[in-house]
Amino acid sequence: MAAKDPRRVDDLDTLKAFGHPLRMKLYRALYISRTATASQLAEQVDEAVSLVSYHLRKLADHGLIEEAPQQGQDGRERWWRTASEGLTFRDEDFRDAPEKVATHAAIGRMSFEQRGELYRAYLDSQMAWAPQWRSAAFSSEFLGPFTPEELAVLSKEMHELIKRHTDAARDAQDVGDTEGRENVALHIYGFPFRQQ
């Protein structure tokens, strides 16, 4: 069974294994669907099943995903799920060597680009969504003069709030409350900057 807490990725080999654009997309797709086969995921990411299977095995080799209990009638198909409730990557785990710093930064940029693609796709298609969805969707920027300690507290509280709401939505979905439910992306960043 998948762990209920996010997994902290703190080694370079696992970070590199995750840091492939298709693997990141596959992880996200699997996280959303909760369980899926390579065939189902290949359709979602528009790639060949053999390529998707290869990348799923690489994710599994590093414990990022795992086999899920059999879902369908066809015993030949392998079902997958994430091995934890998400992943975390922390700067302090990768700052002691130039290669670690560079890999961590590259994966952060790649993740940001993929998140940006999701949001751009929404903006390009937002008029196709029902008015209730367009009214509920949001994009906000807040600027404040925090200390590192204050920002850490804010981050912790925001993660707890989002987890509580996400868990409640999944529990409702699990008991059949699926009417009007869609996947929603929440992208939150908190970082220092200086005005130029």
Side-chain angles (χ1 to χ4, degrees):
M1 168 162 258
K4 286 300 256 177
D5 292 322
R7 174 179 169 188
R8 182 173 177 170
V9 173
D10 59 4
D11 67 283
L12 187 59
D13 286 341
T14 304
L15 183 67
K16 284 180 176 181
F18 181 72
H20 183 284
L22 181 55
R23 290 181 198 159
M24 292 174 81
K25 287 180 182 179
L26 289 169
Y27 186 90
R28 179 180 287 114
L30 190 56
Y31 184 86
I32 291 166
S33 63
R34 296 161 87 181
T35 60
T37 65
S39 298
Q40 292 167 337
L41 293 168
E43 194 172 303
Q44 291 180 43
V45 298
D46 195 29
E47 293 288 350
V49 176
S50 59
L51 182 63
V52 167
S53 292
Y54 169 80
H55 285 293
L56 289 173
R57 286 191 305 275
K58 290 298 180 188
L59 290 169
D61 288 347
H62 291 274
L64 299 172
I65 66 171
E66 62 190 14
E67 285 194 56
Q70 192 63 29
Q71 303 281 321
Q73 305 290 358
D74 185 355
R76 296 173 298 163
E77 280 210 287
R78 217 175 187 181
W79 286 80
W80 297 97
R81 66 180 173 196
T82 60
S84 61
E85 190 63 34
L87 303 172
T88 64
F89 307 90
R90 299 195 182 159
D91 168 73
E92 61 260 27
D93 297 325
F94 301 102
R95 64 171 77 139
D96 62 338
E99 181 186 12
K100 289 180 178 182
V101 170
T103 302
H104 183 255
I107 290 170
R109 283 189 297 277
M110 190 183 318
S111 180
F112 179 77
E113 289 301 320
Q114 287 189 3
R115 291 172 186 166
E117 287 174 22
L118 278 174
Y119 190 57
R120 280 189 295 276
Y122 167 72
L123 291 175
D124 291 345
S125 67
Q126 70 182 357
M127 292 312 292
W129 288 95
Q132 302 93 311
W133 277 110
R134 293 195 316 267
S135 294
F138 64 92
S139 170
S140 303
E141 181 179 34
F142 300 95
L143 304 171
F146 296 103
T147 65
E149 295 78 16
E150 292 166 342
L151 184 59
V153 169
L154 177 60
S155 173
K156 182 177 185 289
E157 289 178 8
M158 288 173 61
H159 281 86
E160 289 169 352
L161 175 68
I162 291 167
K163 182 170 179 8
R164 188 174 73 238
H165 284 273
T166 302
D167 288 349
R170 285 190 176 149
D171 290 346
Q173 184 180 39
D174 287 346
V175 297
D177 179 6
T178 58
E179 183 71 27
R181 213 168 275 288
E182 297 285 351
N183 294 317
V184 171
L186 295 168
H187 301 158
I188 300 167
Y189 305 95
F191 56 89
F193 70 96
R194 292 189 175 106
Q195 286 185 289
Q196 304 275 323

